[in-house]
Amino acid sequence: MKKLKLLITGVGIATFGEANADYALNLSPGVTQLSRDIYDLHMYILWICVAIGVGVYGMMVYSIMHHRKSKGVVPAHFHENTKLEVVWTIIPFVILLTMAIPATKVMIEAYDTSASDMTVKVTGYQWKWRYTYLDNGIDFFSTLDAKSNDARQLGVRSNPEAVPNYLLEVDKPLVIPAGKKVRFLFTAADVIHSWWVPQFGWKKDAIPGYVTDAWTKVEQPGIYRGQCAELCGRDHGFMPIVVDVKSEADYNKWVEGQKAQAQKAVADAAKTYSMAELMAKGEEVYNASCAGCHMVNGEGMQGMFPAIKGSPVATGDLNTHLDVVVKGKGQMMPAFGDSLSPVEIAAVVTYQRNGFGNDKGDLVQPSDISARH
């Protein structure tokens, strides 16, 4: 890592700052056998291209230097040469063959999702990922973590440099076991997204109405990070991916923990909460899921995103407000009925109707949300 000195000039102003730049000049070998095979194929073809370049340009330079007119060279005059034409047809064919055979082997390997140990369905949303484990029923959304989300807001004085893994951290990572072949099924609920973890060696588009697949097998436990690689709207840059690869024993413990949390969520949805409890939870949910558009202060962005403060929705009919949050509205307001739990929806609606000076006095319980599904 080296530091670059940048000169930024404006109208009569010149300031100096520092920017970090990574001078890596090649692909990463990655952490899977497939990623290493892709890397080896890349290097193999690169050196073939280097050899061709050196040969062609070397011959050009030699010919220019040793066959120029100033040395008295008289150019030959000929119409055709069958042997030469055969040679320059066979040589490229052989070169392409030596490239096509290993490339085909790697392509077959990359697309072979058979004999997988588990399957995870990945669904892209604006702007989050949903992971559904088809083998054990675990299902959750993964979004930008609260610290990164807070630091990226306009008018917030949080220092992004002080946030660990800024814009590359999530609230709930995808968890898979080490040493197991994991098959992924990709789709999207709104627009095209692209799931990309560089150290796995590939990326895959998530397309509405279509299902594509890919696979990985990570040998060693660790944390691996990526991002959405397809421009998918305003918050495309805030859609990270984190994969937590655990040992098989730790993964099994995690699965049991997730099942226990699911049971607790069902029990929590049957409880009755006080206004104070809902307001506290609602503020947490609002900052994580709503503040990106409507701002932390609830004043929105003029001309783009309406304010919650004094909003006709947040101060109007409660059922209309619930419908907007649960089902969404138009292209700009996503539906949260699947991504938030009944407790979270009840809390955030209560918070919106009683925070920011709205003071409606409405209290929404999780049972009110469960009845709407």
Side-chain angles (χ1 to χ4, degrees), residues 22-300:
D22 190 350
Y23 280 91
L25 296 177
N26 205 352
L27 301 178
S28 167
V31 295
T32 69
Q33 184 58 52
L34 176 59
S35 68
R36 288 189 289 270
D37 290 343
I38 293 172
Y39 175 82
D40 291 341
L41 175 65
H42 159 74
M43 293 305 301
Y44 172 71
I45 293 180
L46 173 65
W47 288 119
I48 289 178
C49 294
V50 169
I52 292 173
V54 170
V56 171
Y57 283 98
M59 181 63 71
M60 288 175 58
V61 171
Y62 175 83
S63 299
I64 291 170
M65 297 299 297
H66 294 275
H67 297 89
R68 61 186 187 271
K69 184 177 180 180
S70 61
K71 297 189 69 171
V73 175
V74 178
H77 295 276
F78 58 90
H79 181 262
E80 62 183 23
N81 187 313
T82 303
K83 290 183 179 179
L84 184 60
E85 291 176 359
V86 170
V87 169
W88 73 37
T89 300
I90 292 177
I91 290 178
F93 175 78
V94 172
I95 293 174
L96 289 174
L97 198 62
T98 60
M99 296 168 69
I101 292 174
T104 301
K105 290 180 178 178
V106 174
M107 289 291 290
I108 292 173
E109 178 188 8
Y111 282 91
D112 181 14
T113 60
S114 64
S116 59
D117 297 299
M118 59 181 290
T119 301
V120 179
K121 179 183 175 184
V122 181
T123 307
Y125 288 77
Q126 291 178 308
W127 291 269
K128 63 191 77 175
W129 298 101
R130 183 178 187 176
Y131 299 117
T132 305
Y133 292 67
L134 301 185
D135 303 280
N136 53 34
I138 295 173
D139 187 1
F140 61 88
F141 282 79
S142 178
T143 60
L144 183 69
D145 76 308
K147 291 182 179 179
S148 290
N149 191 54
D150 178 65
R152 77 180 181 92
Q153 302 299 329
L154 293 174
V156 176
R157 295 186 178 182
S158 299
N159 182 9
E161 294 182 359
V163 178
N165 300 306
Y166 177 60
L167 299 184
L168 289 174
E169 190 61 89
V170 297
D171 55 353
K172 295 180 181 179
L174 171 67
V175 179
I176 60 174
K180 299 292 184 180
K181 185 174 182 178
V182 182
R183 181 190 183 204
F184 296 101
L185 302 178
F186 296 97
T187 189
D190 37 46
V191 300
I192 297 176
H193 303 275
S194 189
W195 200 86
W196 178 47
V197 177
Q199 288 173 299
F200 290 178
W202 50 264
K203 71 180 182 72
K204 203 73 172 181
D205 285 352
I207 306 170
Y210 291 86
V211 176
T212 57
D213 64 352
W215 68 274
T216 193
K217 184 177 181 180
V218 185
E219 290 89 353
Q220 298 297 325
I223 302 293
Y224 306 101
R225 304 181 188 278
Q227 294 171 295
C228 177
E230 184 74 36
L231 185 60
C232 58
R234 185 183 66 89
D235 278 355
H236 162 68
F238 311 114
M239 197 173 169
I241 300 161
V242 178
V243 182
D244 185 358
V245 181
K246 295 181 179 291
S247 66
E248 187 171 2
D250 288 341
Y251 173 75
N252 290 334
K253 290 179 182 178
W254 176 82
V255 169
E256 293 304 315
Q258 292 297 301
K259 291 180 178 179
Q261 287 183 22
Q263 293 176 351
K264 182 178 181 297
V266 173
D268 289 345
K271 292 180 180 179
T272 298
Y273 295 85
S274 67
M275 175 68 78
E277 290 174 322
L278 289 170
M279 289 295 287
K281 180 66 176 178
E283 182 177 13
E284 176 187 326
V285 176
Y286 179 87
N287 289 337
S289 302
C290 310
C293 296
H294 301 292
M295 301 291 103
V296 175
N297 58 13
E299 295 181 358

